[in-house]
Amino acid sequence: MIVYAPAALFFLLFGIGVLRDRRQFSNAVLLGISVSLLALALLAELRKAPTLVAELVAVAIILLPAVGTMALVWFLISNGLTMIRKEGRRPANLLSLLAGLGILAVIALLFVALATRSRQLGILAGTAVLVVGYISFLFVCFVGYAFLYGRHRPRRDVDFVVVLGSGLIGGERVPPLLASRLDRGREVYDRQAARGNPPMLITSGGQGPDEKLPESHAMADYLTGRGFPAEHIEREDGSRTTEENLLFSKAIMEQAKPDYRCVVVTNNFHAFRAALTARRTGVNGHVFGSPTAAYYWPSATIREFAAVFLSHKLINFGICGLLALCGLLAAL
């Protein structure tokens, strides 16, 4: 059983981290490490398995990553083309396409290095695999924990429901992405109001340079136009970023009730990063995600991960640099 001890230790640290605060990226990394160590422990136990079972598992270990990688490349490129067709060629819409092409480039580099037996190409390919492997591990941790975080539903009543703004269509109309957030915010409000304790709903979003009115006002109009009680809406109309959404909404909540509890609503792809920002800004609340169109999710999730990765750029670039150095030293 000693082989499972490292996995158990990291899972214990993960549990402690969740109990302290669910809104930490370290929880995602600890969970990823514990699962990876458990997988290694199970592989180590294969030596006790019958020969046929061990051989079948060995074949699966070889084939599944290869097939899975190629399937992932196809999915990312296909999704990237769909994003361009439906959302245009803005840089943010190219992320899944670029990710797929990037993985394909690394694979091609590996094959060329093996085919030509070039030492220089071998060093470059090995270094690229190490760096891409690290980033891929963090991405899997991010997606896995974000999924788990999204399944949590606080059971206690809250004082406020904060709906984060996004852009407006034509500078004045609520787009489907934002409508999804508002509908989910109303669901949270309605469930609690049915228990006799309706919260205040804060629409949060300022006016962009190409918008005719603040996002929070358009959001409030969307809700009241569908029968939502206007007296239970508070507009926060000064923010331009997610961090400002949360900071300015926090000021409103603290002024009304210093010991407030809240729920923050955004789209599901944005929920975990918004939760990390809520923790950093001291907002006392959980973040809920609303549904997003399936084709939009991959690129949006990659964008969210990139933002989290860059928010810890010192340690992440440092580790990437060390991995690159290890790749170079191993080739000497």
Side-chain angles (χ1 to χ4, degrees), residues 10-11 13-19 21-36 134 136-149 272-273 276 305 308 312:
F10 277 95
F11 190 78
L13 294 174
F14 162 73
I16 293 172
V18 169
L19 290 175
D21 196 330
R22 297 174 186 271
R23 306 168 301 172
Q24 300 181 92
F25 187 63
S26 58
N27 294 339
V29 176
L30 289 170
L31 179 60
I33 292 174
S34 66
V35 171
S36 299
Y134 170 71
S136 299
F137 170 75
L138 289 184
F139 181 72
V140 171
C141 291
F142 175 83
V143 172
Y145 187 72
F147 174 81
L148 293 176
Y149 180 86
F272 185 41
R273 183 161 75 94
L276 298 178
F305 169 73
V308 173
H312 301 86

Side-chain angles (χ1 to χ4, degrees), residues 248-262:
F248 297 169
S249 297
K250 175 188 173 185
I252 292 173
M253 293 185 288
E254 285 182 335
Q255 184 175 9
K257 186 177 181 181
D259 60 342
Y260 72 91
R261 287 174 54 83
C262 76

Side-chain angles (χ1 to χ4, degrees), residues 285-309:
H286 183 79
V287 180
F288 276 177
S290 65
T292 306
Y295 77 87
Y296 193 87
W297 184 87
S299 281
T301 300
I302 293 171
R303 183 176 70 242
E304 295 298 304
F305 169 73
V308 173
F309 184 89

Side-chain angles (χ1 to χ4, degrees), residues 203-226:
T203 55
S204 179
Q207 184 172 352
D210 59 344
E211 294 175 337
K212 300 176 183 178
L213 74 166
E215 293 169 8
S216 60
H217 293 205
M219 294 160 70
D221 292 343
Y222 174 91
L223 289 169
T224 55
R226 286 158 179 77

